[in-house]
Amino acid sequence: MIVVSELRKQFSVRGNTLVAVNGVSFAVGNSEVYGLLGPNGAGKTTTLRMVMGLTEPDSGWVEIGGTRTDTDATGIRHQLGLISTNDGVYPWLSVREMLMYFADLYAVEPQIAESRLAELAELLAIGSFLDQRCSTLSTGQKQRVTLARGLMHDPPVMLLDEPTRGLDVVGSQTVFQFIELLKARGKSVLLSTHRLDEAERVCDRFGLLHHGTMRYEGTLGDLREQTGKTHLVDMFIELIREDRVGQATLGKSD
Amino acid sequence: MQPSSIASYMANGRLGRLCLKELRESLRDRRTLITLILMPILVYPLLSMAMQRLIVGTASGLNADKTEYIIGVKDEQAGSLVASALGETALAIRQGVRHSIEIRRPMLTSSVTKKTATKATVAENTGGNNAPQSDTADRNPEVRENASAIDPQTAGFNIVVAEGISLQQALDEGQVDVAVLQVRSESVSLGRNGTYPAYQLELSFRDADLRSEAAMLEFRKAMELVNDTQSLQFRGALPPAVRMISTATGRKVDAMASLAGILPLILILMTITGAVYPAIDLTAGERERGTMEAMIATPAPRFLLLLSKYVAVVTVAVLTALANLLACWITLSIGGLGRALLGEKGLSLLAIVQILPLLVIFAAFFSAILLAMCSFARSFKEAQAYLIPVMLVSLAPALLTLMPNIEFSTLLGIVPLVNILLLSRDIMTGSPQALPAFAAVFSTLLYAAAALVVASRLFGAESATAGSQETWSDLVRRPKRMKELPDLGDLAVYLALMFPVFFILTNLFGQIDLSIASKLWINAGILLVLFLIAPALVAQYRRLNPRSTFLLGGWLGDSGPMGSGELASGAPGVSHGAGLFRGLGVLCGVCLLASGLWVIAFEVLKVLSDFGFGAISIDRTEALEEAKVQFASIPFWMIFVTSALVPALAEEFFFRGYVLSAFRNRIAPLRAVLYSALIFGLFHVINGSVLSLERFFPTTLLGLALGFVAIRTHSLWPGVLLHAIHNGLLFWLTRFSEKELSEWFGSTNQHFPPIWILASLASVACGIGLVYFLTRQRFHENAT
């Protein structure tokens, strides 16, 4: 369960103030996949970082499983899993060593970690190369190792930051299956992406961010009612067209 | 980062596994292995070859040089004999018997020179031609001119007579290169061909001195030439014309010190090289591979993450140091280079055993610096861009240590890198000094701790903020909220900054010629500034609660929970009368402790000096006696204020206030007391410009007692009182002569009589007991 309330964060870049996130609120229930959508620079990553407690918000708060992140920023991370685009693997460690290392980082007891590793090896089909060095793995294998890494401490909340960027169809498919798996296990999933077609497929509810503010929020049905458009892509194009700077950004956004 | 979460990472060997992961990552990487194994295998033999070349070059390759070796003789007669012995060689060459030798072998000789050395004077030597025993001139008059027309491009010998100085002394002082101790000549019959002169020489040269050895080599070659020539002439049927015995004498270290300085420099450079790659790989490399974010997102405390990386980097650095030391030792032993560089014994095993810990300490220091530099680099390239200037900057002072006349002075002891280099050099040449050595080790450890703190802050800050501009300001940013206790990291940084200042100031004023009264005041001033005013300012800036940090809550401290600092003294539910009773009881306890502790401290010092530890040398005893006389002329109130009251206030404020509180912030109270007492003891080892290692034990003991009183009473003041009484009593004693004292104590061997010691122990025990029981209830309230 994630509750985000009135988050606000501004950065000063060379003397200019940039409001990255401006009063964003939403909530993600258990067994729910929430899509945090928006073009590049909409404030998705900053919001995720504030949810993780890596960035301190200027105002507003985040609650994970009933605990505010500002009261126990470190403890809250036991509840959170994170998988992002740029995630890599340790080339010189074996898959098993790497996953057990992360279990230790989350202070998971070694016996529990062992059994969880066995379970994940089966679920994500990484059993055959558990003792292979990560540098020898294919891209797809590395990706599955990364997904397993996010589940080693069995967090109730999973944050996915652009998990499919740069992946082919097969890779993306693995991620979708993974999200289904998380959902089936009752986890709250917060998915940040600008791949609107994918979001439509896997998310239960959506929040459309633009210039740091939440423009539309709800299920696909709600959004269709609010905007009068059928697809997320059209909603986005509309959003951007409203904007003064529309012409400039149109070409860039997917 | 609450303590409980750190504890869960420390438990079950988890920290060990975290370190193991970093080590695996480093040691499985081929690039680490190359610096670790391949480099030492290649560098030392190559270096050895280069050095051999250099030494051989100096010894025989100076033909192009106009090197003139100075041969010392006893008197003019001996000088003439030597000259004529060597003169034969000149003849041989000029006669063209051995052209091949002439090309290689420059000749020489008996040119008349006046050496204006201080003690040796030159014989007016007219050369071998005039020597009474020599018939050279008679046989070959035309050669005489040739012989004196020496090629200015060649090396030659200059024969001087030592006057007013013994030959050996002249040799030891480097005024002559080779000393001819004995020279005899006899006529050997050639039958019908007449006679020829045969010479016997006894020579001495300086062992392991390039110039002296080279001179010896030249001399020997000249002699061989004479003999070769003769045996050619007479087909080897005769005994050699010149025979010599040579003995090596005590070595002259100074000339070699600069070359010996190369070894530590190379060892240190290699250790650095070993650490550089893992440091970059485990920080910037982690970012580049995209594993950093996932790691930072875990609840593992960042300090521990950095610590595990630090352990790995230090381990690799130490392994590199070990491999290099081993390779260096083997090369030096096998090649005989060790003897040439470091004297007869070469690189002794003892020196290796001493240098290794130095390299470990240095690795600890430099690894922390490297991690701090790399912690905010985003990529390998960026990290390298940061490191190269650092390496170059540190190389410049390092090269300075190669200069032959650099002495490892006290003040250089606190210059990072340079201190370890000079200390290793002195260990290799076998003459390390105590105070700079202590300063080097202690300051390097403090710098390492501080650098590690800086690294962990940067490592933490770098991912927490989006832009890297903020990373440095994070380090010194003033906290927004007030804190009860100081950060242990702040303490490390403060100690690392304060120690060099403390060291320089105490040394400076120890050497300046001032009256003892002004020295006392200056010393008190230094204590006040460094131990009271500066920590107070730091606390003010870091928004520390002064009441909880410096235990300023009144005689019995604050009665609220530990560190709350909110409540005034007089806990709820405790009557005013009970508070007064307890206050008086603690006062009694402190007085009992004070009356016994100084005796024990004194006795510990005595016992230590009986065992030869920190025995006071003669010049120090004299200085002490002098100080005693001067002390007597100063009013006691002045001594009390400057040496008891001010130190008590300032040192309690710092050691029991800031230091103890910083430790209490992280670890259990008793261990905090122990650590703060150790730091207290270490600071007292530096006594002006003298290292008083023997003071460590009694001072640490006092620190333990003071720490105990401080955490039990939760107040600074009982400790200040105890400290002031303790110091006051010891200084009061110095006002009496030893005779008076021994009459007083009824003992003549400067030890206290057993009954005094027993009484003191009992008094200390009672004092501790009293403080313990009177504060028991409060202490448990505080602890919970």
Side-chain angles (χ1 to χ4, degrees):
Chain A
M1 181 74 182
I2 311 169
V3 182
V4 172
S5 172
E6 291 297 321
L7 276 186
R8 191 188 148 84
K9 180 74 188 177
Q10 63 183 42
F11 296 109
S12 64
V13 182
R14 288 181 207 90
N16 301 322
T17 307
L18 175 82
V19 183
V21 177
N22 194 0
V24 168
S25 304
F26 61 91
V28 188
N30 296 337
S31 292
E32 187 178 32
V33 181
Y34 187 93
L36 198 58
L37 314 177
N40 292 334
K44 300 185 302 279
T45 304
T46 308
T47 307
L48 274 187
R49 290 181 70 86
M50 286 192 281
V51 171
M52 279 192 293
L54 287 179
T55 303
E56 205 178 327
D58 294 335
S59 62
W61 47 264
V62 178
E63 205 179 84
I64 309 283
T67 312
R68 291 263 294 258
T69 49
D70 51 355
T71 58
D72 185 11
T74 316
I76 215 83
R77 294 190 193 148
H78 287 284
Q79 315 280 315
L80 288 171
L82 169 74
I83 288 162
S84 90
T85 336
N86 308 318
D87 280 343
V89 291
Y90 291 107
W92 302 102
L93 297 187
S94 74
V95 175
R96 186 191 300 279
E97 282 163 352
M98 172 176 161
L99 294 180
M100 290 306 279
Y101 170 63
F102 272 93
D104 271 327
L105 286 182
Y106 281 101
V108 179
E109 290 311 315
Q111 301 91 320
I112 300 174
E114 290 281 359
S115 62
R116 205 166 282 158
L117 178 65
E119 185 194 340
L120 287 172
E122 201 174 322
L123 270 173
L124 292 163
I126 56 174
S128 58
F129 50 87
L130 264 188
D131 292 305
Q132 227 167 296
R133 295 259 171 99
C134 289
S135 54
T136 63
L137 303 183
S138 71
T139 313
Q141 287 170 327
K142 279 181 189 162
Q143 185 213 354
R144 300 211 294 280
V145 170
T146 303
L147 297 178
R149 192 262 292 148
L151 279 180
M152 277 307 286
H153 59 297
D154 199 23
V157 171
M158 182 64 79
L159 309 180
L160 303 171
D161 188 9
E162 312 256 5
T164 54
R165 190 156 78 188
L167 288 183
D168 62 0
V169 183
V170 185
S172 303
Q173 197 57 38
T174 316
V175 175
F176 298 148
Q177 285 164 359
F178 181 70
I179 292 172
E180 287 302 319
L181 176 86
L182 294 174
K183 207 171 146 180
R185 297 191 157 201
K187 303 197 185 299
S188 313
V189 180
L190 180 57
L191 169 71
S192 130
T193 183
H194 56 205
R195 295 288 302 272
L196 303 171
D197 50 333
E198 285 179 0
E200 258 181 32
R201 280 183 58 189
V202 295
C203 297
D204 302 311
R205 289 198 303 130
F206 307 87
L208 266 64
L209 277 180
H210 193 44
H211 291 313
T213 41
M214 188 69 93
R215 301 300 286 266
Y216 301 113
E217 209 213 341
T219 60
L220 197 57
D222 294 338
L223 293 184
R224 278 174 183 152
E225 254 175 51
Q226 286 173 41
T227 58
K229 309 274 181 197
T230 325
H231 290 289
L232 285 171
V233 182
D234 301 325
M235 295 176 200
F236 251 91
I237 292 169
E238 184 63 29
L239 250 185
I240 291 158
R241 195 167 290 148
E242 286 170 14
D243 225 68
R244 286 276 175 82
V245 289
Q247 279 85 352
T249 6
L250 187 63
K252 277 190 209 164
S253 63
D254 292 1
Chain B
M1 254 200 274
Q2 66 274 54
S4 63
S5 87
I6 288 187
S8 77
Y9 284 91
M10 297 291 216
N12 303 329
R14 186 162 279 137
L15 185 58
R17 289 199 295 277
L18 297 188
C19 296
L20 188 67
K21 170 255 165 187
E22 308 292 348
L23 257 181
R24 271 182 183 143
E25 235 193 310
S26 292
L27 288 180
R28 282 178 188 170
D29 197 325
R30 238 170 280 120
R31 283 167 287 190
T32 311
L33 292 180
I34 287 175
T35 38
L36 186 59
I37 297 166
L38 212 60
M39 292 276 275
I41 291 178
L42 285 177
V43 164
Y44 292 96
L46 279 177
L47 191 80
S48 156
M49 280 187 257
M51 295 258 250
Q52 296 275 23
R53 184 75 219 130
L54 185 74
I55 287 174
V56 172
T58 349
S60 67
L62 291 173
N63 306 16
D65 227 319
K66 285 193 283 180
T67 305
E68 262 192 340
Y69 295 112
I70 300 163
I71 311 286
V73 291
K74 266 191 303 199
D75 45 36
E76 289 188 25
Q77 197 195 358
S80 320
L81 281 177
V82 172
S84 45
L86 292 169
E88 296 283 350
T89 328
L91 284 179
I93 292 167
R94 296 299 166 187
Q95 285 171 336
V97 179
R98 287 279 300 266
H99 291 287
S100 59
I101 295 174
E102 185 187 19
I103 293 161
R104 280 192 310 144
R105 206 60 356 262
M107 250 358 297
L108 90 95
T109 129
S110 50
S111 60
V112 183
T113 330
K114 187 119 192 159
K115 190 168 190 291
T116 48
T118 42
K119 289 176 190 164
T121 53
V122 184
E124 285 287 326
N125 190 346
T126 42
N129 348 33
N130 281 1
Q133 275 92 348
S134 172
D135 53 358
T136 312
D138 305 326
R139 281 193 285 165
N140 294 298
E142 79 284 359
V143 174
R144 194 167 75 195
E145 284 139 43
N146 285 346
S148 54
I150 306 163
D151 181 356
Q153 290 302 309
T154 62
F157 295 114
N158 207 338
I159 298 169
V160 302
V161 174
E163 264 175 20
I165 184 171
S166 80
L167 257 182
Q168 191 61 49
Q169 210 178 338
L171 178 69
D172 289 344
E173 286 178 7
Q175 295 191 11
V176 300
D177 298 317
V178 172
V180 181
L181 302 176
Q182 287 283 336
V183 52
R184 274 195 314 251
S185 104
E186 53 185 6
S187 284
V188 175
S189 169
L190 286 174
R192 61 190 161 84
N193 289 336
T195 59
Y196 78 97
Y199 301 93
Q200 262 199 327
L201 297 133
E202 218 175 282
L203 296 113
S204 183
F205 64 100
R206 287 187 302 276
D207 194 18
D209 178 297
L210 282 187
R211 192 180 161 86
S212 187
E213 284 189 343
M216 193 62 223
L217 204 68
E218 286 296 323
F219 201 101
R220 191 184 298 275
K221 282 177 179 164
M223 185 201 76
E224 278 165 7
L225 195 58
V226 174
N227 292 338
D228 285 354
T229 314
Q230 184 213 356
S231 63
L232 272 179
Q233 267 178 339
F234 302 101
R235 305 208 162 67
L238 293 163
V242 185
R243 271 188 276 203
M244 62 181 244
I245 315 164
S246 63
T247 46
T249 179
R251 67 216 170 78
K252 191 163 170 285
V253 178
D254 294 4
M256 295 313 297
S258 63
L259 270 177
I262 289 181
L263 283 181
L265 183 62
I266 290 167
L267 283 172
I268 292 246
L269 283 180
M270 294 299 286
T271 310
I272 292 177
T273 320
V276 163
Y277 182 74
I280 298 180
D281 191 51
L282 296 180
T283 51
E286 190 116 30
R287 282 201 125 221
E288 207 166 81
R289 287 192 295 270
T291 43
M292 183 72 118
E293 178 122 305
M295 192 175 68
I296 289 292
T298 68
R302 279 176 204 168
F303 179 73
L304 287 188
L305 292 178
L306 186 84
L307 189 68
S308 59
K309 291 175 185 298
Y310 177 66
V311 169
V313 175
V314 173
T315 310
V316 174
V318 168
L319 285 177
T320 318
L322 209 60
N324 279 281
L325 208 51
L326 193 73
C328 173
W329 182 61
I330 292 175
T331 316
L332 286 188
S333 313
I334 289 177
L337 188 65
R339 279 195 63 221
L341 277 182
L342 303 166
E344 285 168 61
K345 281 171 288 177
L347 186 56
S348 72
L349 218 55
L350 178 71
I352 293 212
V353 170
Q354 285 172 319
I355 287 169
L356 185 64
L358 279 187
L359 287 178
V360 172
I361 289 169
F362 181 78
F365 162 69
F366 210 80
S367 303
I369 299 268
L370 287 176
L371 281 181
M373 298 302 299
C374 297
S375 275
F376 58 105
R378 281 127 186 260
S379 66
F380 242 91
K381 260 188 195 164
E382 204 180 324
Q384 277 166 337
Y386 292 143
L387 287 189
I388 289 169
V390 173
M391 305 273 278
L392 288 179
V393 164
S394 54
L395 205 62
L399 287 174
L400 202 78
T401 64
L402 289 181
M403 284 165 64
N405 294 325
I406 289 266
E407 205 177 307
F408 187 23
S409 68
T410 313
L411 290 185
L412 281 177
I414 51 166
V415 181
L417 183 65
V418 171
N419 56 8
I420 296 285
L421 280 171
L422 288 176
L423 181 55
S424 335
R425 184 199 68 186
D426 285 358
I427 285 177
M428 282 188 175
T429 52
S431 53
Q433 281 180 306
L435 184 64
F438 170 80
V441 169
F442 190 51
S443 61
T444 303
L445 283 177
L446 282 181
Y447 300 149
L452 192 60
V453 169
V454 172
S456 76
R457 301 239 168 112
L458 288 175
F459 187 72
E462 156 261 5
S463 268
T465 50
S468 65
Q469 306 99 316
E470 289 179 47
T471 50
W472 282 107
S473 60
D474 272 359
L475 269 180
V476 287
R477 199 174 46 190
R478 198 169 180 204
K480 286 180 193 150
R481 271 168 276 182
M482 190 185 243
K483 284 196 291 183
E484 294 303 323
L485 293 175
D487 204 60
L488 200 50
D490 280 359
L491 171 66
V493 174
Y494 182 74
L495 280 176
L497 293 177
M498 186 264 269
F499 176 73
V501 178
F502 173 75
F503 191 79
I504 290 173
L505 287 180
T506 48
N507 258 289
L508 228 55
F509 290 111
Q511 283 160 9
I512 293 177
D513 207 17
L514 288 170
S515 77
I516 195 138
S518 20
K519 274 190 180 177
L520 284 176
W521 285 112
I522 287 170
N523 195 44
I526 293 173
L527 288 181
L528 271 180
V529 170
L530 290 181
F531 290 143
L532 201 147
I533 297 172
L537 291 176
V538 169
Q540 168 72 18
Y541 181 74
R542 301 296 282 188
R543 289 192 203 278
L544 297 174
N545 182 346
R547 289 173 76 95
S548 52
T549 300
F550 298 109
L551 307 170
L552 297 179
W555 176 250
L556 281 183
D558 294 321
S559 44
M562 195 124 127
S564 80
E566 301 293 320
L567 299 164
S569 75
V574 178
S575 74
H576 188 68
L580 186 69
F581 166 72
R582 267 216 287 257
L584 285 173
V586 167
L587 179 67
C588 285
V590 165
C591 289
L592 280 171
L593 270 169
S595 60
L597 267 177
W598 67 274
V599 177
I600 296 173
F602 198 80
E603 203 50 37
V604 169
L605 270 181
K606 282 283 170 224
V607 171
L608 284 174
S609 77
D610 282 354
F611 279 102
F613 187 75
I616 295 163
S617 64
I618 292 170
D619 55 326
R620 270 187 70 196
T621 329
E622 277 167 9
L624 277 178
E625 283 305 316
E626 204 187 305
K628 224 170 163 177
V629 171
Q630 284 182 309
F631 249 61
S633 65
I634 301 170
F636 186 67
W637 68 266
M638 199 192 273
I639 296 179
F640 184 78
V641 169
T642 55
S643 307
L645 199 62
V646 168
L649 253 177
E651 290 178 4
E652 287 313 296
F653 191 80
F654 183 65
F655 290 105
R656 252 58 63 184
Y658 196 82
V659 176
L660 182 59
S661 297
F663 279 114
R664 264 191 314 137
N665 194 9
R666 276 274 177 262
I667 56 180
L670 286 180
R671 269 168 59 209
V673 168
L674 176 67
Y675 292 149
S676 67
L678 285 174
I679 293 181
F680 182 59
L682 281 173
F683 262 90
H684 280 78
V685 165
I686 297 155
N687 181 15
S689 50
V690 187
L691 183 72
S692 322
L693 275 180
E694 73 277 5
R695 280 180 71 183
F696 176 70
F697 295 96
T699 315
T700 307
L701 217 61
L702 177 68
L704 285 175
L706 288 167
F708 168 78
V709 171
I711 59 156
R712 294 302 297 197
T713 61
H714 210 65
S715 163
L716 197 68
W717 308 116
V720 171
L721 183 69
L722 172 54
H723 199 147
I725 297 178
H726 178 272
N727 281 18
L729 276 173
L730 281 177
F731 277 99
W732 183 60
L733 271 187
T734 61
R735 296 186 79 78
F736 298 97
S737 71
E738 281 192 359
K739 192 160 160 267
E740 277 175 299
L741 289 179
S742 55
E743 274 171 19
W744 271 31
F745 299 137
S747 164
T748 47
N749 59 356
Q750 294 185 20
H751 279 280
F752 282 101
I755 186 79
W756 274 73
I757 298 169
L758 277 179
S760 306
L761 284 172
S763 161
V764 168
C766 287
I768 287 176
L770 205 56
V771 172
Y772 180 80
F773 282 108
L774 284 170
T775 55
R776 191 161 59 156
Q777 190 190 346
R778 281 266 312 284
F779 187 74
H780 287 294
E781 278 168 16
N782 282 343
T784 45

